[in-house]
Amino acid sequence: MLTIGTPFIFALAMAKKIIITIDGWSSCGKSTLAKQLAKKLNYIYVDSGAMYRAITLYFLRNNIDLEENEEIKQALKQISLEFHSNPNTQSSEIYLNGENVEYLIRDLLIAEKVSDVAAIKEVREFAVAQQQKMGDKKGIVMDGRDIGTTVFPDAELKIFMTADTAVRVERRFKELYAKNPNITIEEVKDNLEMRDYIDSNREISPLRKAEDAYILDNTHLTENQQFEKAMGWILSKIS
Ligand code: DC
């Protein structure tokens, strides 16, 4: 148990603002941990995957051909992404050209296409430039696949999360089933394995652990246990 009180942690985290990156496989709880840490430290939280999902939504709505570079470049010029805090839930939500798409982008239809979209060079350049800008003033927790390797290679704390596939499938299934009871566990497993494969084998910024990242395998950890572990690493960096 951490015995240091929240006001003291706030003070330390503000006095020495750092960048915390959380990368890892799909559905291993990156965003849950990132949100908890950001709240505890009073840092900004950025879900970089939401950016790739929102771009995918735009491409699907506008029938953008993923083989056509020029079409992609023109489409990206039409996209504006912003995060705003939801006053009811206090959590950060993504807006695509002014529309809150936080709920829409969690659909399996988006999950089926997002890894292909995220593998496109122009898309990555577009997203990475914005992500780096968000970290200008530090005091940020960002989760994704290439945050510790490409977006913030000099981040003070890098965490690489992993968990057994069966556990990850079960977690994602529960999440999606609540929205769509017709979904099957096989669909969820296929999608997760396909995304892991594409994300870790793409040419540009593939998912991999940064050499200086701490590994956090949460297969047998509770949310609280993983939070405490991460807070231990953070305290070693800010105190
Ligand atoms: O974290 P997520 O499942 O919402 O991410 C959606 C997809 O976006 C994921 O399959 C890979 C891609 N992604 C990426 O390539 N780079 C990131 N930094 C974040 C996500």
Side-chain angles (χ1 to χ4, degrees), residues 22-27 30-31 47-53 56 105-106 110-111 113-119 124 127-128 131 142-147 151 172 191 194-196 198-199 202 204-205 207:
I22 304 183
D23 290 304
W25 304 98
S26 293
S27 303
K30 298 183 297 295
S31 64
D47 172 359
S48 69
M51 299 172 73
Y52 292 101
R53 287 172 180 265
T56 304
I105 59 165
R106 306 294 159 193
I110 301 292
K113 279 273 167 284
V114 64
S115 286
D116 289 331
V117 171
R124 297 212 73 81
V128 169
Q131 290 155 6
M142 191 178 289
D143 73 350
R145 304 293 188 289
D146 62 337
I147 312 303
V151 181
R172 184 63 112 200
N191 175 258
M194 177 200 73
R195 285 202 292 138
D196 283 350
I198 301 176
D199 295 342
R202 67 175 173 232
I204 314 158
S205 305
L207 167 66

Side-chain angles (χ1 to χ4, degrees), residues 73-113:
K73 278 187 199 159
Q74 293 311 318
L76 289 170
K77 284 186 191 157
Q78 306 302 316
I79 296 179
S80 148
L81 299 176
E82 282 171 13
F83 287 94
H84 295 291
S85 176
N86 177 327
N88 298 322
T89 60
Q90 320 256 292
S91 74
S92 146
E93 298 184 340
I94 192 159
Y95 285 69
L96 166 65
N97 295 337
E99 174 192 357
N100 184 333
V101 293
E102 183 65 36
Y103 187 79
L104 284 177
I105 59 165
R106 306 294 159 193
D107 200 276
L108 194 57
L109 265 178
I110 301 292
E112 277 165 1
K113 279 273 167 284

Side-chain angles (χ1 to χ4, degrees), residues 62-77:
N62 293 280
N63 294 316
I64 303 301
D65 185 340
L66 302 188
E67 305 295 321
E68 291 295 330
N69 273 12
E70 204 40 49
E71 205 174 315
I72 289 169
K73 278 187 199 159
Q74 293 311 318
L76 289 170
K77 284 186 191 157

